[in-house]
Amino acid sequence: MNRTTPTKRTTIYDLAQLAGTSASAVSAVLNGNWKKRRISAKLAEKITKLAEEQGYALNMQASVLRRERSKIIGMLVPKYDNRYFGSIVEQFENLARERGLFPIITCTRRDPALEVEAARAMLSYQVDCLIATGATDPDRIVDLCAAAGVRTINLDLPGSRAPSVISDNYGGALELTRRVLANCEREYGVKAPLLFVGGRGTDHNTMERVRGFRDAHAQAGIAVDEALVQTCGYAPEKAESAMRQLAERTSDLPRGMFVNSTISLEGVMRWIRRSGHYAERMPHLGCFDWDPFVAMLGDHIEMVRQDVPKMLEAVFDIIDSGATDLRIVQVPPIMEKVG
């Protein structure tokens, strides 16, 4: 009878051979004591990368043997270009410093390769914990950090291998859509579907917002026009292009829209101004994002403000408690009427 030969587990001795160094140096890096041993950041990063590539699973019991904490806490953030992420960074810094921690933050531009590169750099600085905000592949970051014995918490977008804190995207989208549908019916006297524009159709937040958008229509007895669900990305130029292409296919665009961020709203408003399509009467808008300056556009906009203070409080509650269960904490957003 043929027996399957069990796959040999990678050891610190294997990693030492691959890295061209000693097993004790590998152990020091994986347990977070490499600075004390005067190991270079370059070698520490090389060993960490090899551990990830070789699928090395750090013994979690051994990982607690780290004798010194750096008191450095890191955050990866995808963008700085809207109030939401800027507020996250500001709240994160404040709460970290209140606890005697030193925060370091880097922007990854929604680039998966840059996220991994940034996570490795954070590990080379011996962070005690890493907050992955809006990461495109949070589970990969968790695996990378786990190999070095570093905790990870997901913020804004959830993962499956670490605790996550997110907005209630479904509930917020459901209520926002209800409000815009009601505003349109009140002004025009008819029930009609809205346009959904912005966001990435493959990420959790957008999928949940589309689900809330669909359910609000169903509850109102309105069929969703699938051609009007435009998950075209967040960039302003992508939203503008989506609006232009829709207008080329039909001159009868909806009198109400669900816009999936202030970034996308920039592109929508740019197209409206340039095209003159809604010259007679501006459409009713609902934006799943918030910025007080939107009030300058008029009183026809409903907004959802994600509750950043409560989200960051939940993140630090997890850190302070030492919780490691794979919970997903959903924080209800706040509805804002502009004007």
Side-chain angles (χ1 to χ4, degrees), residues 9 12 23 26-33 56-68 145-150:
R9 294 183 63 181
I12 61 171
V26 171
S27 179
V29 170
L30 297 181
N31 286 322
N33 294 324
Y56 178 78
L58 182 70
N59 182 320
M60 295 310 293
Q61 188 174 12
S63 72
V64 302
L65 296 177
R66 297 171 66 188
R67 288 178 169 79
E68 291 184 359
C145 292
V150 172

Side-chain angles (χ1 to χ4, degrees), residues 260-280:
N260 203 17
S261 75
T262 51
I263 303 170
S264 297
L265 182 62
E266 179 184 338
V268 168
M269 294 306 300
R270 185 187 301 160
W271 179 82
I272 288 174
R273 301 293 189 195
R274 290 176 177 175
S275 69
H277 188 88
Y278 291 100
E280 294 181 3

Side-chain angles (χ1 to χ4, degrees), residues 180 194-195 243 254-259 268 272 278 283-286:
V180 180
L194 308 180
L195 165 64
M243 295 296 298
R255 285 289 181 176
M257 301 181 197
F258 182 116
V259 186
V268 168
I272 288 174
Y278 291 100
H284 284 280
L285 302 174

Side-chain angles (χ1 to χ4, degrees), residues 28 31-36 66 68-72 121-129 150:
N31 286 322
N33 294 324
W34 58 274
K35 284 187 177 179
K36 185 177 180 181
R66 297 171 66 188
E68 291 184 359
R69 294 183 61 218
S70 67
K71 293 193 175 182
I72 297 173
M122 293 278 190
L123 292 174
S124 74
Y125 282 97
Q126 203 177 354
V127 293
D128 289 324
C129 183
V150 172

Side-chain angles (χ1 to χ4, degrees), residues 24-59:
S24 63
V26 171
S27 179
V29 170
L30 297 181
N31 286 322
N33 294 324
W34 58 274
K35 284 187 177 179
K36 185 177 180 181
R37 287 277 309 276
R38 297 184 180 179
I39 295 169
S40 70
K42 183 176 180 180
L43 179 56
E45 185 176 352
K46 180 180 180 181
I47 291 170
T48 302
K49 184 176 180 181
L50 283 169
E52 180 195 12
E53 291 171 350
Q54 297 298 314
Y56 178 78
L58 182 70
N59 182 320

Side-chain angles (χ1 to χ4, degrees), residues 305-339:
R305 177 157 57 94
Q306 300 186 73
D307 197 340
V308 171
K310 286 190 178 178
M311 293 172 74
L312 267 297
E313 285 174 14
V315 166
F316 279 93
D317 282 346
I318 292 171
I319 294 171
D320 294 342
S321 69
T324 57
D325 57 296
L326 303 182
R327 69 182 72 178
I328 296 181
V329 179
Q330 293 195 77
V331 178
I334 301 164
M335 303 304 300
E336 298 276 359
K337 176 66 177 178
V338 176

